[in-house]
Every structure is written in C-alpha cells, then in structure tokens.
Amino acid sequence: MMAVIETLETIAAVRAWRASGGWRTVGLVPTMGYLHEGHLALVAEARATCEKVVASIFVNPAQFDREEDLAAYPVDLEQDKRLLAKAGCDALFLPTPATMYPEGFDTWVEPGAVAAEQEGRHRPGHFRGVATVVLKLLNIVQPSHAFFGQKDAQQLAVIRAFVRDLDVATAIVPVATQREADGLARSSRNVRLSPAERQAATVLYRGLRAAEDAFRSGEGRAAALAHAVHAVLDAEPRAQTEYVSVADPDTLRELDTVETRALVSLAVWIGKTRLIDNLILDASEQARDGA
Ligand code: AMP
C-alpha cells in the first residue's frame, strides 16, 4: 500500500504532533513545493540524521519581489505528498498565507550586510521575507536540525547569520546542489523553460565551470574569474545576465582576490525565467585534487 503522509495544516496541529513523541532529533525541510530531486536530497539527508522528518510547503508571498513570479509559481500538491511519503518524510506542514500572516502581523526579521548584494540587491525585500518565514517555521516546528540547499547559497548564509545572531537552537545543515545530467541545477522554475530555453539554460553551469577552470589554472583575481563566466554567458543569445559575483561564502562580501574560498554565484534570465546557480571555489580542495 502507498504510504500516506500526515498533513498538518495549523500551527496547533504542528505543536501537538511535535509534543506527541519524545524525539531527540527532528529534521525540518522547508520548501515551496513542486518538489524535485533537490528537495528530496534534503529529505534524504534529514532522514539519515533525524528520528523524525517534517517538510513544509509554503509559497511565501513575503519573499516574492515580482507578482508574476508568485502567480506563475508551479503547484502539484498530490505529487508532492506522494514524493514526500516515498522519501520517508513523516509529516507535512501545509499552512495557508492567513495562518502564517494573520491580520495584524507586523514583525519582520531584517538581515544585515549578508543580504545586501547579489540576490538581495536584485530582489528587494526577498531575504527579509525568507528570514521571517524561516524563523517562524523554526519556532513553530522547533526542529533540532533544518536542511537547506547550497543551490540558494546566499539564502543559506542569511539563515546561518540570523540563527547565530538571534540564538536559534536549531542546527542548520547544508546540502549539495542536485543537478540534471547536463549540469542544470534542479529548480521548480525549470518547468517554465521551453525546449530551446531548457537547452540554453545549461549556460549557467558552463559559466561557473569556466571560473572553476580558471581558478584551477592559478587565476585568483575576482574580476578575471567573473570575466571567464561572462565570456561563456555572453555567447548564449537566449541568456541575459543579471549579475556574476565572486564573494566570501559566509559574509557574501565581494572579493578582489580569492585567497582560499569563494562563492561564485550568478543570476541569468532565460527568456522570461530567472535562474540562479553557484559554485564554491576552494583552494584546499584543489590541493587535495592535485595530490
Ligand atoms: P524551494 O522550494 O525552491 O524554496 O527550495 C526549498 C529548499 O530546497 C531550499 O533549501 C533550496 O535551497 C533547496 N533546493 C532547491 N533546489 C535544489 C537543488 N537543485 N539542490 C539542492 N537543494 C535544492
């Protein structure tokens, strides 16, 4: 028989579920639904780490900076429930916007410098919406661990910063970016791409790999690394580059030179779809690779 996932729709139901077991470890996997292998890798990591795993699906209006992106966000709840059950997820928190933002809601988490550049610069208010909803989810579920994808590297850094600054007792666990065979990072937004756009979208990862190749060849100047990425992106006529960044992976401060580690991140429009991706350059890994 197909497993059916326990669905919790109210905060009271989550609290009752959480109090019903004497679990030492509970893993939370926050998502916006339309689940794919990337989300399922987070669930698998949570499954391997924690006694109980709860996922949440909430398309958070507060983190969308463009109406049309929110309106077009894909939904397939029945498929999501099947995938979560199959992945061994124990419960699903499925709140409505009114549950998360009831009448009179008026308090926000405002991230600092870590949210100022890259995505933060191009998506005003985005990380305030993310930080607020994630803190709410952590307070509602009170998980011992919460799992986030490296795919959204700045989001991960923003969450780590507020967890540290606001003394949240949850361990934040990063999970590597899951990719299609041709390198495209899995994303719920990929379904919006036409076949020709889907083909063109491989340019993001190819661009990142160009920076990695340059770094491995000894290039440490951030401008030169970014230039290598731009050269690849510029060769794809369907791609409109929004930014390419070479920054400190923890503070997201833009770098002049890469000493040890750097986060190379980018946002690119393919037609009407905005895609992001990133990769970490790590001189110590390079040393190991070369050993
Ligand atoms: P989303 O539903 O897009 O908000 O993503 C929910 C979580 O899944 C976030 O922590 C994302 O970083 C993570 N995620 C999304 N896509 C991927 C991917 N391709 N690989 C790994 N994690 C991902």
Side-chain angles (χ1 to χ4, degrees), residues 146-176:
F147 299 79
F148 296 91
Q150 182 65 38
K151 158 86 186 340
D152 299 279
Q154 191 173 19
Q155 166 173 287
L156 182 61
V158 164
I159 291 166
R160 283 183 150 149
F162 85 69
V163 161
R164 178 199 65 208
D165 292 346
L166 303 179
D167 310 298
V168 178
T170 300
I172 302 302
V173 185
V175 177

Side-chain angles (χ1 to χ4, degrees), residues 65 112-127 152-155 157-158 242-255 262-267 274 276-278:
D65 50 309
V114 67
E117 299 300 323
Q118 301 96 16
E119 287 298 281
R121 176 169 297 284
H122 291 90
R123 302 189 65 188
H126 172 65
F127 286 122
D152 299 279
Q154 191 173 19
Q155 166 173 287
V158 164
E242 198 168 82
Y243 69 82
V244 174
S245 158
V246 180
D248 179 286
D250 303 316
T251 65
L252 273 294
R253 201 174 48 80
E254 292 288 336
L255 297 172
L263 176 75
V264 184
S265 62
L266 45 76
R274 183 180 185 275
I276 60 170
D277 200 353
N278 69 81

Side-chain angles (χ1 to χ4, degrees), residues 259-289:
E259 306 288 349
T260 48
R261 293 173 77 237
L263 176 75
V264 184
S265 62
L266 45 76
V268 176
W269 288 87
I270 305 286
K272 288 189 160 60
T273 306
R274 183 180 185 275
L275 299 176
I276 60 170
D277 200 353
N278 69 81
L279 178 146
I280 296 222
L281 304 179
D282 189 331
S284 62
E285 270 177 23
Q286 194 185 340
R288 272 203 301 280
D289 284 355

Side-chain angles (χ1 to χ4, degrees), residues 30-33 36 38-39 42 73 147-149 151-152 155 176-178 185-186:
T31 82
M32 298 203 299
H36 51 67
H39 300 111
L42 271 59
Y73 205 82
F147 299 79
F148 296 91
K151 158 86 186 340
D152 299 279
Q155 166 173 287
T177 302
Q178 307 296 305
R186 293 185 189 268

Side-chain angles (χ1 to χ4, degrees), residues 94-119:
L94 191 64
T96 63
T99 295
M100 295 302 273
Y101 302 108
E103 193 62 35
F105 181 92
D106 199 21
T107 303
W108 298 91
V109 179
E110 192 68 67
V114 67
E117 299 300 323
Q118 301 96 16
E119 287 298 281

